[in-house]
Amino acid sequence: MDLIQQIIERAKSNKQRIVLPEAEEERTLTAADRVLAEDMADIILIGNPEKVHALAEEKGLKNIGKATLIDPLNCPKSEEYAQLLAELRKKKGMTIEQARELVKNPLYLGCMIIKTGDADGQISGALSTTGETLRPALQIIKTAPGITCVSGAMLLITKKPEYGENGVLVVGDVAVTPMPDANQLSQIAVCTAQTARSVAGFQDPRVAMLSFSTKGSATHEVVDKVIEATRLAKELDPALKIDGELQADAALVPGVGKKKAPGSDIAGQANVLVFPNLEVGNIAYKLVQRLGDAIAVGPILQGIARPVNDLSRGCSVEDIYYLVAITACQAMDAK
């Protein structure tokens, strides 16, 4: 069974409640129908009921009736959500009138549903920008305990079983924080290892903090940042298996790891790679994807207290379906 199917089966084994706040969007509704048909998750759709039902009928979607459908302009809990949102944002000057308007926004409404315990995760982005997806999540759900930095991980499924976890690597950050400082980089390491456990199913994440230097082979302030981030990550999660700074070959190739970093438990054995900044991460995963013919799954947002994931506006039905499964796996681990 390949990794994607394993993720789907894990989601089915412990159904989570996933909000899709863009229910009037054709790809989203089609993916929801497939999820419901396969009993992979409980789906909460946010949208105008007449439009949703009309679209479902037009597309021949037979399972949408199994979803919970919420009209953002006529939600029975709107006032309750508005009062809570105003309280959450009181220090930022939000009034109850502003909160009442915001909870009519499906992205805000979905996050309020999660905040009050009536859902486990949310996916948007088929119609919305990353900023529009993240803003309500950070204002309402906020970051996980001990975490202040949101980041994005990618699953790289390669044809090289000798590397990573039978050819699978989890890498980060590839999506959110352009130039993390040492503290943020340490959080990215901890969160990416957690994604490796909850989504990729790694029993034993082994984290390499990547650099152009291995164990002092070069000196530079950016190398110092990686060394400090490694130290801070160990403080943040003392049980984490992590080492750095390591060059990519020293992290992945056993013979190179032994030569460049003798005595390291991670060198040559890493299955989680943490890039020193977003520029490196984004370039690296796309090169592996295109030149190495790897499958790249993600980005998977991490660091939020409950999972909220972002789609590309060019996403396919299949992308949304897979991200429901991924979000469900994250939600199990976040409880």
Side-chain angles (χ1 to χ4, degrees), residues 18-22 121-125 309-311 320 323-324 327:
I18 306 301
V19 182
L20 299 177
E22 298 169 327
Q122 176 166 294
I123 298 166
S124 59
N309 275 307
D310 179 40
L311 293 157
I320 302 169
L323 197 55
V324 170
T327 305

Side-chain angles (χ1 to χ4, degrees), residues 120-263:
D120 304 304
Q122 176 166 294
I123 298 166
S124 59
L127 295 173
S128 311
T129 66
T130 297
E132 289 167 339
T133 291
L134 277 177
R135 193 173 301 113
L138 294 175
Q139 290 179 359
I140 296 166
I141 302 170
K142 304 185 185 301
T143 52
I147 302 297
T148 60
C149 173
V150 175
S151 56
M154 188 73 68
L155 309 184
L156 288 179
I157 305 170
T158 79
K159 297 177 180 179
K160 298 285 187 177
E162 64 269 30
Y163 299 134
E165 196 77 7
N166 195 32
V168 178
L169 294 159
V170 183
V171 302
D173 175 20
V174 299
V176 182
T177 304
M179 194 61 68
D181 60 25
N183 182 46
Q184 291 172 319
L185 195 58
S186 72
Q187 295 176 34
I188 291 168
V190 170
C191 289
T192 307
Q194 189 58 46
T195 296
R197 291 188 197 95
S198 62
V199 178
F202 289 7
Q203 298 298 313
D204 186 31
R206 299 179 297 276
V207 183
M209 303 293 280
L210 297 185
S211 178
F212 63 83
S213 169
T214 297
K215 296 298 181 180
S217 65
T219 57
H220 192 277
E221 61 185 20
V222 297
V223 177
D224 294 339
K225 180 183 78 169
V226 174
I227 294 169
E228 176 65 4
T230 305
R231 184 187 70 80
L232 291 171
K234 291 176 181 177
E235 289 183 358
L236 190 59
D237 182 359
L240 184 64
K241 294 182 178 179
I242 185 170
D243 200 8
E245 84 285 13
L246 296 170
Q247 291 165 290
D249 57 352
L252 293 172
V253 184
V256 177
K258 287 179 182 178
K259 183 181 294 184
K260 291 188 174 183

Side-chain angles (χ1 to χ4, degrees), residues 34-71:
R34 181 178 173 187
V35 169
L36 292 163
E38 297 182 11
D39 205 26
M40 187 171 79
D42 292 323
I43 295 295
I44 299 170
L45 298 171
I46 300 180
N48 178 283
E50 290 184 8
K51 291 182 180 179
V52 170
H53 288 309
L55 182 58
E57 185 173 352
E58 177 189 337
K59 298 298 176 184
L61 307 177
K62 305 296 186 184
N63 298 281
I64 294 303
K66 299 176 185 177
T68 300
L69 178 54
I70 297 175
D71 183 349

Side-chain angles (χ1 to χ4, degrees), residues 96 116 138 143 146 188 226 257-258 265 286 288 298 302:
I96 184 61
T116 54
L138 294 175
T143 52
I188 291 168
V226 174
K258 287 179 182 178
D265 292 332
K286 288 181 177 178
V288 172
Q302 50 189 24

